[in-house]
Amino acid sequence: MPRVCFLLRVRPDRMAEYRERHERVWPEMVAALSRAGWQNYSLFIDDDGLVVGYVETDDFEQALAAMEKTEVNGRWQAEMGEFFIGLDGRRPDEGMHVLSEYFHLD
């Protein structure tokens, strides 16, 4: 299964609230991600606000497109956008910096 890793950066003064929101992710958002093909999805955060996301999916662009079609994703992105630095007017799901995988050990 293809693996995708991406970066975002949370505002340092909003990190606690950002983490709290992810302790209560809306059940309909979790269900939409699953239906869209997001598997083994994890988020990690460093003390400076760097967020590292990891997801496995057959087709990342298709998984993003499937989420774009859901009402819940629009609401989630609108609420979460205020937490991030450097999006330049984009939503978080549009502003992810996707990294290139160059090594993997099974």
Side-chain angles (χ1 to χ4, degrees):
M1 167 111 14
R3 295 170 297 276
V4 177
C5 184
F6 62 85
L7 304 176
L8 289 162
R9 186 163 302 273
V10 172
R11 298 176 186 284
D13 61 324
R14 303 292 303 273
M15 286 178 45
E17 185 181 359
Y18 174 78
R19 290 178 72 124
E20 288 171 12
R21 294 275 184 106
H22 281 83
E23 291 172 8
R24 299 181 313 275
V25 176
W26 306 331
E28 62 268 32
M29 183 63 173
V30 172
L33 287 164
S34 292
R35 282 192 306 274
W38 295 62
Q39 298 175 33
N40 201 21
Y41 182 30
S42 298
L43 294 171
F44 304 86
I45 192 165
D46 197 5
D47 292 340
D48 66 356
L50 178 66
V51 172
V52 177
Y54 173 87
V55 63
E56 295 174 359
T57 185
D58 289 326
D59 182 332
F60 188 55
E61 293 304 318
Q62 182 278 327
L64 287 172
M67 286 304 294
E68 178 66 27
K69 294 176 185 175
T70 68
E71 179 273 336
V72 69
N73 187 61
R75 284 190 292 122
W76 181 264
Q77 298 303 321
E79 285 204 16
M80 298 309 292
E82 67 190 47
F83 290 96
F84 294 97
I85 296 170
L87 293 180
D88 301 321
R90 297 170 293 170
R91 299 180 337 187
D93 62 349
E94 299 167 330
M96 296 182 287
H97 175 71
V98 176
L99 302 177
S100 298
E101 182 177 352
Y102 65 93
F103 177 80
H104 175 78
L105 176 65
D106 249 343

